Amino acid sequence: MSIVTVQLGQCGNQIGFEVFDALYTDSHCPQGLCSKRENEAYQASCKERFFSEEENGVPIARAVLVDMEPKVTSQTLSKAAQSGRWKYGQHSCFCQKQGSGNNWAYGYSVHGPRHEEAIMNLIQKEVEKCDSLSGFFIIMSMAGGTGSGLGAFVTQNLQDQYSNSLKMNQIIWPYGTGEVIVQNYNSVLTLSHLYRSSDALLVHENDAVHKICAKLMNIKQISFSDINQVLAHQLGSVFQPTYSVEGSCHYRRNPLGDLMENLVPHPEFKMLGIRNIPQMSENSLAYSTFTWAGLLKHLRQMLISNSKLEEGIDWQVRPPLSGLPTLGKVSLNRELHFNTSIANLVILRGKDVHSADLGGFKDPALYTSWLEPIHAFNVWKTQRAFSKYEKSAALVSNSQFLLKPLDTIVGKAWNMFASKAYIHQYTKFGIEEEDFLDSFALLEQVVASYCNL
């Protein structure tokens, strides 16, 4: 089954390019550590998901590019075409001459309705090329104007027009220090609208990815391109094919459906995060060896201590003893921040994958009391190695990992709202104070639900 990717705004288009490039590069990587037949099946499965029929031998990304300024989309189209390996479709792009000026309301209330028909037509053409549609993968930032405002509008339209297809939004959480004065307003409006119309929000925090570039990749001057490549690697490690059941050689057909089924057991809980191990520069990799036991021990501790990278993990954090009431679980600032999960999915790729022991992830203490580990934990595997790693693991989790950042953003936005700062920039484009209050109420409820796990 195929996934149609919708790339929105500068951020969405730049990340989208890196994602397709990573998927293509990995699926055509000669040293996949598996048989030729297995490699061909892997390639065919990746192609069916993300690329449509070739034009002169060059696969075409199943994607629609949307931006309100032409610069980034034209760069993205030409970068893909120049690679000579894959490209975007000739008519897959919609752009205008005037951006949204970081104003969510302008993206949502002006650009959205004005260009709705043209954008939805492009998406429909892309959907018609799929033999079978798994759903939509929507890449956007949370804090700007076009990606966030128009992104929320487009997601709502997809929900109306394709109510039976799954929608997963990959959203980029802004730097804590701030890029835009109104980023907290934009973020609150984006999240609350997506919570109503999307099936899952896959969240990447800029701060966390920046740390990975600095500490694990040893990059001295970090550019957005470096950050986007780390993101693309993480997304590829989740979306590339894996076997459908233990011991079978058939790849799963419905990646989005399977992800949702494993990770979103209740519509109140839609926030997903990704952790990967190992992540390192080419130079370090040459001197490193890994065992599944070591990788999984670190990955489990990253999960329970809510660490985004394997460096500087807090090994003091322990799961609460099963069966005992967890005192102070509701407090956001409890001393040892144990990260309770609703659902976890571990994806293992590479050598001796069937020998990996995942018992540590089946401990009931890791999960909320209303789900048994048998329903809350899943594992996907393939012997086909990913990217340059002989063994690699990805963990997609629905847990309390975003509680603090979400609480902070809502708090900062509320403080600005209470003093009516910048509200006029939104009301003049039809986003009223009532809309803000609805958004605050919805996100307060999300925070409370995750708190009470």
Side-chain angles (χ1 to χ4, degrees):
M1 293 178 90
S2 306
I3 296 170
V4 170
T5 300
V6 183
Q7 305 177 180
L8 287 140
Q10 176 177 345
C11 170
N13 281 297
Q14 288 172 335
I15 292 171
F17 167 79
E18 297 292 356
V19 169
F20 281 107
D21 208 51
L23 293 167
Y24 182 90
T25 305
D26 170 62
S27 65
H28 288 77
C29 173
Q31 66 270 36
L33 301 177
C34 60
S35 68
K36 185 165 181 258
R37 200 183 104 232
E38 218 169 325
N39 212 28
E40 282 167 0
Y42 182 88
Q43 260 180 28
S45 180
C46 170
K47 194 180 152 200
E48 182 197 20
R49 287 173 186 198
F50 291 103
F51 297 94
S52 59
E53 265 323 298
E54 301 176 0
E55 200 175 282
N56 315 328
V58 180
I60 297 168
R62 297 186 189 274
V64 172
L65 296 77
V66 179
D67 200 3
M68 291 301 126
E69 293 166 299
K71 186 178 159 192
V72 172
T73 46
S74 61
Q75 280 172 351
T76 307
L77 292 171
S78 66
K79 255 173 98 174
Q82 282 161 14
S83 77
R85 303 178 311 163
W86 64 276
K87 62 181 182 181
Y88 287 105
Q90 226 175 337
H91 307 294
S92 61
C93 176
F94 178 85
C95 65
Q96 291 294 295
K97 295 284 182 276
Q98 179 203 9
S100 308
N102 287 322
N103 187 325
W104 191 93
Y106 198 81
Y108 183 84
S109 305
V110 179
H111 283 317
R114 186 180 290 164
H115 306 300
E116 173 182 356
E117 195 177 337
I119 294 169
M120 294 313 287
N121 280 344
L122 278 184
I123 292 173
Q124 188 183 338
K125 284 188 180 128
E126 208 49 60
V127 168
E128 285 165 358
K129 290 182 201 163
C130 304
D131 288 342
S132 171
L133 178 68
S134 174
F136 298 95
F137 186 52
I138 303 138
I139 308 178
M140 54 192 272
S141 84
M142 193 166 91
T146 299
S148 58
L150 184 62
F153 182 86
V154 168
T155 306
Q156 219 164 294
N157 268 3
L158 289 172
Q159 174 58 13
D160 294 342
Q161 293 187 26
Y162 300 92
S163 53
N164 294 334
S165 299
L166 294 165
K167 286 148 288 289
M168 178 181 271
N169 290 65
Q170 201 260 330
I171 49 181
I172 306 302
W173 200 276
Y175 283 104
T177 48
E179 302 149 73
V180 179
I181 187 82
V182 289
Q183 71 175 31
N184 297 313
Y185 280 167
N186 293 344
S187 300
V188 161
L189 290 164
T190 305
L191 284 170
S192 60
H193 280 73
L194 292 183
Y195 233 81
R196 295 183 189 109
S197 51
S198 177
D199 296 296
L201 313 184
L202 191 54
V203 179
H204 273 101
E205 296 168 82
N206 267 339
D207 289 308
V209 183
H210 198 98
K211 263 191 199 155
I212 290 170
C213 290
K215 293 192 172 171
L216 302 183
M217 299 298 185
N218 299 322
I219 301 168
K220 297 291 170 269
Q221 305 221 276
I222 298 167
S223 65
F224 274 121
S225 173
D226 295 321
I227 285 179
N228 295 344
Q229 280 166 19
V230 169
L231 286 172
H233 175 87
Q234 294 199 341
L235 291 167
S237 72
V238 172
F239 281 106
Q240 282 293 52
T242 51
Y243 299 135
S244 49
V245 287
E246 186 80 39
S248 106
C249 284
H250 295 288
Y251 286 108
R252 50 184 72 244
R253 293 291 319 278
N254 183 3
L256 274 185
D258 293 343
L259 272 171
M260 306 287 188
E261 186 183 330
N262 290 172
L263 289 163
V264 188
H266 189 285
E268 187 74 31
F269 303 96
K270 294 182 179 181
M271 303 276 206
L272 309 180
I274 304 179
R275 290 174 176 81
N276 285 68
I277 189 169
Q279 291 183 104
M280 55 177 58
S281 64
E282 295 271 1
N283 300 345
S284 315
L285 194 61
Y287 305 102
S288 309
T289 53
F290 302 101
T291 64
W292 285 119
L295 288 174
L296 292 169
K297 181 183 175 185
H298 278 76
L299 192 59
R300 180 179 185 269
Q301 194 63 24
M302 284 162 70
L303 168 70
I304 64 180
S305 64
N306 198 14
S307 168
K308 303 294 186 305
L309 56 167
E310 67 258 38
E311 197 173 292
I313 298 174
D314 183 348
W315 290 94
Q316 302 305 308
V317 181
R318 292 268 180 276
L321 292 168
S322 299
L324 292 178
T326 34
L327 293 172
K329 217 176 186 183
V330 180
S331 141
L332 265 180
N333 303 315
R334 62 186 186 277
E335 269 321 283
L336 283 180
H337 300 281
F338 176 75
N339 179 32
T340 305
S341 301
I342 291 182
N344 288 311
L345 166 68
V346 171
I347 302 167
L348 305 178
R349 302 175 182 276
K351 198 174 171 187
D352 304 328
V353 71
H354 297 300
S355 69
D357 174 17
L358 289 142
F361 286 91
K362 297 174 183 171
D363 178 355
L366 269 59
Y367 301 94
T368 179
S369 55
W370 47 266
L371 269 184
E372 297 286 320
I374 189 166
H375 302 302
F377 176 69
N378 284 280
V379 59
W380 296 354
K381 298 176 183 176
T382 173
Q383 283 166 327
R384 168 61 157 77
F386 177 64
S387 184
K388 53 188 187 275
Y389 299 106
E390 181 187 64
K391 296 183 175 90
S392 63
L395 167 68
V396 193
S397 63
N398 188 342
S399 69
Q400 297 174 315
F401 80 108
L402 265 180
L403 258 182
K404 242 193 164 130
L406 179 56
D407 203 48
T408 304
I409 274 189
V410 172
K412 285 180 176 171
W414 179 258
N415 289 344
M416 277 174 65
F417 181 75
S419 58
K420 300 270 188 280
Y422 301 103
I423 292 292
H424 64 281
Q425 292 187 10
Y426 292 79
T427 50
K428 70 179 175 193
F429 298 117
I431 298 295
E432 301 300 334
E433 291 187 19
E434 198 62 33
D435 298 311
F436 274 99
L437 291 170
D438 286 349
S439 296
F440 284 123
L442 187 146
L443 295 181
E444 288 288 351
Q445 179 57 51
V446 172
V447 167
S449 298
Y450 272 104
C451 255
N452 289 324
L453 282 181

